[in-house]
Amino acid sequence: MKTNTVINSKQPKSGKKWTTQMIIFTGMLAALAGVLMSLEFSVPLMPPFYKVDFSDVPTVFGTMFLGPAAGACIEVIKILIKLITVGTNSNYVGEFSNLVGAAIFILPLWFVYKKRGANTRAMIEAMIISVILRTAFACFCNAFITLPLYAKSTGMPLDAIIEWVATVNPAIKDLKSFIMLATIPFNIIKLGLNYFVGGLLFVRLKETKVLPRLA
């Protein structure tokens, strides 16, 4: 009984104080995420301000390994690193969207993973649910928050933004088609890539038992 108590006391749970190891590990993942967020690239037929990066990989890994608080810290720090080192290509609208969507990304991933048994199948189920929720949020956020803010920040009417996007994808003619043909596929592609790489990395390292006993 005493041995089990000692081992469990090292595991980060909600309400527990962070250890030095956890703080260091979270900082390392956040720094990596900040670098990866700066290495973004465009996707064909997508709006110029829609960029794919792999900065969610450390967040996926950190959330399942250390918990939602660490995942949230990684998200916040990576955005700050990106803004300081590279700046913004969306007048801070994209960074604001990432920050607002962090809870919708992190909390379902963590709770479903733990609730379903903290195994590989639970991880896949958690990722699928998280992708659906985050994509749905992105549709709402783009329609009512980020696109209007982006239009306002650039001094352009929303219709002009849609027309601009139509130059790379003529099928986009209005806000509805923008959501259907840009927001939804973009988020599925970006999140799918990040979740796949992050989940694969987590499973591989967990199987090799090279991870320190933090979670």
Side-chain angles (χ1 to χ4, degrees):
M1 290 297 291
K2 291 183 179 179
T3 302
N4 291 336
T5 301
V6 172
I7 292 176
N8 290 335
S9 67
K10 296 181 181 179
Q11 299 176 354
K13 298 179 180 179
S14 298
K16 295 291 185 181
K17 292 182 178 180
W18 283 31
T19 64
T20 302
Q21 277 185 307
M22 289 174 60
I23 294 173
I24 293 173
F25 207 77
T26 299
M28 292 171 58
L29 290 173
L32 176 60
V35 173
L36 291 174
M37 194 176 190
S38 303
L39 303 175
E40 56 189 12
F41 57 91
S42 301
V43 179
L45 301 178
M46 292 295 167
F49 47 83
Y50 272 5
K51 304 286 187 178
V52 171
D53 60 67
F54 286 91
S55 64
D56 282 344
V57 171
T59 309
V60 170
F61 183 87
T63 297
M64 290 187 294
F65 183 43
L66 298 171
C73 288
I74 293 170
E75 283 288 298
V76 172
I77 295 172
K78 81 174 186 183
I79 292 174
L80 293 176
I81 292 174
K82 195 257 184 178
L83 289 175
I84 293 171
T85 58
V86 178
T88 178
N89 63 352
S90 62
N91 293 321
Y92 303 99
V93 174
E95 290 77 19
F96 172 75
S97 178
N98 284 333
L99 192 59
V100 172
I104 296 177
F105 161 36
I106 293 167
L107 293 178
L109 190 66
W110 166 259
F111 287 118
V112 175
Y113 174 66
K114 289 297 182 180
K115 186 72 173 178
R116 299 294 290 175
N119 51 38
T120 302
R121 181 174 179 178
M123 181 189 70
I124 295 172
E125 291 176 356
M127 289 180 174
I128 292 174
I129 292 173
S130 183
V131 167
I132 293 172
L133 290 175
R134 197 172 181 186
T135 301
F137 169 78
C139 293
F140 171 83
C141 192
N142 273 229
F144 299 105
I145 302 176
T146 54
L147 275 178
L149 282 176
Y150 185 75
K152 185 176 181 180
S153 68
T154 57
M156 300 170 62
L158 184 58
D159 290 343
I161 300 292
I162 300 298
E163 291 177 4
W164 176 41
V165 172
T167 60
V168 295
N169 187 351
I172 298 176
K173 301 182 182 302
D174 51 27
L175 182 58
K176 182 178 179 180
S177 58
F178 177 90
I179 298 298
M180 296 297 296
L181 300 176
T183 301
I184 293 177
F186 172 79
N187 277 273
I188 292 175
I189 292 171
K190 179 180 178 179
L191 297 177
L193 289 172
N194 276 268
Y195 283 27
F196 175 77
V197 176
L200 183 63
L201 179 64
F202 179 73
V203 170
R204 292 292 186 182
L205 291 177
K206 191 175 181 181
E207 287 177 349
T208 56
K209 300 180 179 179
V210 298
L211 296 175
R213 187 178 289 276
L214 299 178

